[in-house]
């Protein structure tokens, strides 16, 4: 290759490089959370390291966008679970989220892949503790769906097609999604969410349905927050049903600024009908979050679950097996860092 040819190639790279950098971006992100948890159920107790006690489970991911011009762009998102207390799981899998999107500033986003279902967002968004830790709202929500083993559940679905509304609708937001079970005829998931957020108010409703052969699983949620400045209030209601089984879960909570940190509290109640009629439960949770920086926080939380009938809910993953009708307690202290 001649000197002139080499100089020409270098010049072309110098011109092309900055232009590509301006139109595309890739980000590595994640969340590392580890805590010490002590829990009891019935007459047994357990203590150990856990992860994901502050709002989000631990994760690592890669996401990026590329501008296509005229308000169009393409985006991708790969997100994997991690267990910082053990270094697992063995073998990195993008089971939390793996999507690619076509986005238009005016018309919205078409998203394909594995992602949260529409109904799950309300359960997670409208609780002071999210769905994780000893105070998590999912502690007294029966396993999805109502103990049945099916890949298309409340939290996530694979093989999903979703459409998200654009962000220029004056505070209105929402999306619909559909996932077909490729291994079972007529089986799959369909759901949608519609909400409004402006200033201190945020409210949304969602619905999802999963085909389970002869029986359908359905979930409906309604939740919201209102930020008064001196206190942020939370409310959430969930109903899930399959066959004659039905569970109702209602939550009320608050976040209160306290110096640099926040005090969090919530009360939730689960009632069941059908074969589990009377297997009810209540959860009381209290916590405090102290930021060390914008990305790092120290936190602590405690909760108490009162089980009635044959209900056997426990306060998170680090807890002995639940005993029907016996109460459960949990306490944790942890550190969380996002990057």
């Amino acid at each position: 290759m001649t000197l002139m040819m080499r100089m020409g190639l270098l010049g072309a790279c110098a011109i092309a490089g900055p232009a590509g950098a301006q139109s595309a971006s890739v980000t590595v992100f994640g969340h590392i959370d580890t805590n010490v948890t002590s829990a009891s159920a019935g007459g047994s107790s357990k203590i150990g390291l856990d992860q994901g006690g502050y709002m989000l489970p631990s994760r690592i991911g890669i996401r990026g966008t590329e501008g296509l011009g005229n308000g169009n762009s393409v985006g991708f998102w790969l997100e994997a679970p991690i267990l910082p207390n053990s270094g697992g799981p063995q073998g990195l899998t993008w089971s939390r989220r793996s999507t690619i999107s076509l986005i238009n500033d005016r018309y919205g986003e078409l998203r394909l892949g594995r992602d949260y279902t529409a109904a799950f967002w309300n359960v997670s968004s409208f609780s002071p503790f999210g769905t994780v830790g000893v105070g998590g709202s999912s502690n007294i929500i029966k396993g999805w769906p109502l103990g049945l083993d099916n890949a298309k559940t409340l939290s996530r679905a694979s093989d999903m097609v979703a459409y998200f509304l654009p962000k220029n609708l004056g505070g209105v937001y929402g999306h619909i999604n559909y996932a077909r079970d490729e291994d079972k005829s007529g089986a799959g998931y369909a759901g949608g969410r519609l909400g409004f957020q402006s200033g201190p108010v945020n409210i949304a409703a969602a619905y999802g349905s999963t085909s389970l052969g002869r029986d359908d699983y359905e979930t409906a949620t309604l939740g919201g927050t209102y930020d008064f400045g001196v206190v942020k209030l939370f409310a959430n209601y969930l109903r899930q049903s399959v066959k004659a089984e039905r569970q109702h879960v209602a939550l009320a909570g608050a976040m209160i600024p306290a110096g640099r940190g926040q005090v969090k509290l919530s009360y939730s109640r689960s009632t069941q009908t059908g074969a589990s009629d009377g297997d009810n439960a209540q959860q009381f949770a209290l916590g405090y979050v102290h930021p060390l920086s914008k990305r790092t926080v120290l936190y602590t939380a405690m909760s108490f679950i009162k089980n009635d009938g044959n209900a056997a809910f426990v306060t998170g993953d680090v807890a002995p097996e639940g005993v029907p009708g016996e109460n459960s307690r949990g306490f944790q202290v942890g550190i969380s860092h996002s990057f």
Side-chain angles (χ1 to χ4, degrees):
M1 182 181 291
T2 66
L3 178 61
M4 291 298 293
M5 291 174 65
R6 291 178 181 177
M7 292 179 62
L9 286 173
L10 289 173
C13 292
I15 295 172
Q22 290 177 359
S23 62
S25 66
V26 175
T27 301
V28 176
F29 68 95
H31 183 76
I32 307 294
D33 181 302
T34 304
N35 60 70
V36 177
T37 300
S38 174
S40 64
S44 302
S45 61
K46 187 176 179 180
I47 186 170
L49 281 178
D50 196 12
Q51 66 86 30
Y54 173 66
M55 300 302 292
L56 299 172
S58 297
R59 65 190 69 187
I60 189 167
I62 307 169
R63 61 186 177 224
T65 60
E66 180 187 18
L68 303 177
N70 299 319
N72 299 307
S73 60
V74 63
F76 74 91
W77 189 302
L78 298 173
E79 184 177 309
I82 54 176
L83 302 174
N85 53 315
S86 66
Q90 299 300 315
L92 197 65
T93 63
W94 308 109
S95 56
R96 290 191 55 84
R97 176 175 168 182
S98 55
T99 62
I100 187 168
S101 301
L102 288 173
I103 307 163
N104 179 275
D105 293 343
R106 183 175 179 182
Y107 298 110
E109 174 185 354
L110 178 65
R111 185 182 299 178
L112 308 176
R114 177 173 173 81
D115 200 0
Y116 284 129
T117 65
F120 177 78
W121 284 107
N122 272 21
V123 180
S124 178
S125 301
F126 299 127
S127 167
F129 295 89
T131 59
V132 297
V134 299
S137 61
S138 63
N139 288 340
I140 63 170
I141 298 176
K142 205 164 183 179
W144 311 122
L146 293 182
L148 297 179
D149 182 17
N150 186 274
K152 303 292 189 292
T153 63
L154 176 70
S155 55
R156 292 180 182 84
S158 301
D159 307 310
M160 187 156 63
V161 178
Y163 166 71
F164 288 76
L165 292 174
K167 298 178 180 180
N168 56 359
L169 300 179
V172 176
Y173 63 88
H175 69 285
I176 56 174
N177 49 22
Y178 172 76
R180 182 177 180 272
D181 193 329
E182 298 176 352
D183 298 325
K184 297 179 181 179
S185 177
Y189 168 86
R193 185 178 188 228
L194 186 64
F196 175 78
Q197 183 173 12
S198 180
V201 64
N202 185 8
I203 186 171
Y207 172 82
S209 175
T210 300
S211 176
L212 302 170
R214 293 176 300 175
D215 305 299
D216 288 337
Y217 162 71
E218 294 183 313
T219 181
T221 71
L222 175 65
T225 60
Y226 195 95
D227 194 345
F228 290 94
V230 294
V231 60
K232 183 177 182 179
L233 299 181
F234 293 74
N236 192 11
Y237 168 77
L238 173 143
R239 185 196 72 194
Q240 58 172 351
S241 62
V242 63
K243 296 183 180 179
E245 292 289 300
R246 181 168 293 182
Q247 183 187 30
H248 304 263
V249 182
L251 176 145
M255 282 187 180
I256 305 169
R260 290 183 57 192
Q262 287 181 325
V263 173
K264 304 193 294 184
L265 52 95
S266 70
Y267 167 77
S268 52
R269 179 176 177 83
S270 163
T271 58
Q272 298 187 65
T273 57
S276 301
D277 190 28
D279 297 345
N280 304 326
Q282 301 175 71
Q283 177 173 258
F284 306 84
L286 176 67
Y288 174 72
V289 177
H290 183 79
L292 299 179
S293 69
K294 291 182 178 180
R295 297 178 177 269
T296 305
V297 301
L298 299 175
Y299 65 90
T300 184
M302 63 182 71
S303 69
F304 170 75
I305 295 178
K306 183 181 184 301
N307 288 304
D308 296 323
N310 288 316
F313 297 107
V314 296
T315 57
D317 295 332
V318 177
E321 185 176 349
V323 178
E326 297 291 332
N327 300 331
S328 178
R329 294 173 174 82
F331 174 79
Q332 64 187 182
V333 177
I335 183 170
S336 181
H337 175 75
S338 296
F339 60 91

